[in-house]
């Protein structure tokens, strides 16, 4: 998919983008926005198992402004940097990521999950899980701009230690196995005892629905979760998972 927000705003909503291959940048989505007048939005999308021969397996961003929210980016792979997302950036501006799950992606060199390559363009990430990605250097997040923000997120890279961040296992309902296009993808909703429940920050939430089209903030507790999926039932309680495989009669 190619999104160009130059002459008008663009939105990619509720899409599945999977199993695409590019010899250049981004197997899944290229987002280009050279002006600050308009913006592009990627929301409630699943971007899975794409391969980019250069930077950005799932998404390649070259933009002054943009927003991704409530998205799952999983099982993507790149021959260079940014297995899940590569943010090249344009001139001064800010790209926002909110309440997304970036997991089981792979980069050949650096940042299996999320790579930010710019000095003047800022990356602004909140309420996002970047976990179980792999690369030769920096498995999950590599941000070259010291003024970029990664807060109220779940990742293991110490370089993004900041307000509200945790390094705990997010406790997905059923965790994926491996990384890249050969990964076994699974259920990235949160278990009832996940440390990502109620530990985001409400002040930056701009959407009303999560990736399942459930309320982004449940009124029973009034606190947003980290990741693409809001925990729906029982909140922090007991969760029972049943998996039935290969049933034959």
């Amino acid at each position: 998919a190619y999104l160009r927000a130059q002459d008008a705003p663009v939105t990619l909503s509720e899409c599945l983008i999977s199993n695409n291959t590019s010899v250049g940048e981004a197997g899944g989505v290229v987002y280009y926005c050279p002006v600050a007048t308009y913006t592009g939005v990627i929301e409630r999308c699943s971007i899975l198992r794409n391969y980019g021969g250069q930077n950005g397996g799932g998404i390649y961003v070259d933009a002054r402004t943009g927003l991704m929210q409530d998205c799952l980016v999983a099982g993507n792979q790149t021959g260079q940097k940014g297995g899940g997302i590569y943010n090249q950036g344009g001139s001064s501006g800010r790209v926002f990521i909110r309440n997304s799950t970036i997991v089981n992606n792979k980069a050949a060199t650096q940042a299996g999950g999320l790579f930010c390559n710019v000095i003047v363009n800022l990356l602004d990430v909140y309420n996002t899980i970047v976990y179980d990605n792999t690369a030769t250097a920096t498995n999950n997040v590599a941000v070259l701009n010291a003024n970029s923000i990664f807060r109220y997120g779940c990742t293991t890279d110490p370089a993004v230690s900041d307000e509200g961040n945790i390094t705990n296992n997010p406790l997905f309902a059923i965790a994926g196995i491996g990384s890249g296009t050969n990964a076994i993808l699974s259920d990235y909703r949160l278990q009832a005892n996940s440390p990502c429940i109620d530990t985001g920050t409400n002040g930056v939430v701009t959407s009303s629905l999560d990736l399942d089209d459930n309320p982004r903030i449940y009124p029973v507790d009034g606190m947003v979760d980290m990741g693409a999926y809001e925990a729906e039932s029982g909140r922090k309680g007991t969760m029972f998972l049943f998996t039935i495989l290969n049933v034959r009669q």
Side-chain angles (χ1 to χ4, degrees), residues 61 63-67 87 93-97 121-125:
V61 179
R64 291 187 64 183
T65 184
L67 168 66
N87 180 37
R94 189 177 293 267
V95 173
F96 302 89
I97 298 176
N121 182 284
L122 305 181
L123 191 63
D124 191 309
V125 186

Side-chain angles (χ1 to χ4, degrees), residues 140-214:
N140 290 303
V141 181
V143 178
L144 299 189
N145 188 324
N147 294 317
S148 288
I149 296 171
F150 188 105
R151 293 176 180 166
Y152 292 92
C154 179
T155 190
T156 57
D157 291 319
V160 294
S161 177
D162 207 334
E163 180 182 354
N165 289 336
I166 61 174
T167 59
N168 310 60
N169 187 321
L171 296 179
F172 297 122
I174 305 175
I177 300 173
S179 61
T181 53
N182 291 323
I184 299 173
L185 305 184
S186 199
D187 186 348
Y188 298 106
R189 296 168 183 85
L190 301 174
Q191 295 186 36
N193 60 340
S194 168
C196 297
I197 294 177
D198 296 342
T199 49
T201 179
N202 291 359
V204 297
V205 176
T206 57
S207 61
S208 59
L209 300 174
D210 72 355
L211 185 55
D212 273 340
D213 286 338
N214 290 319

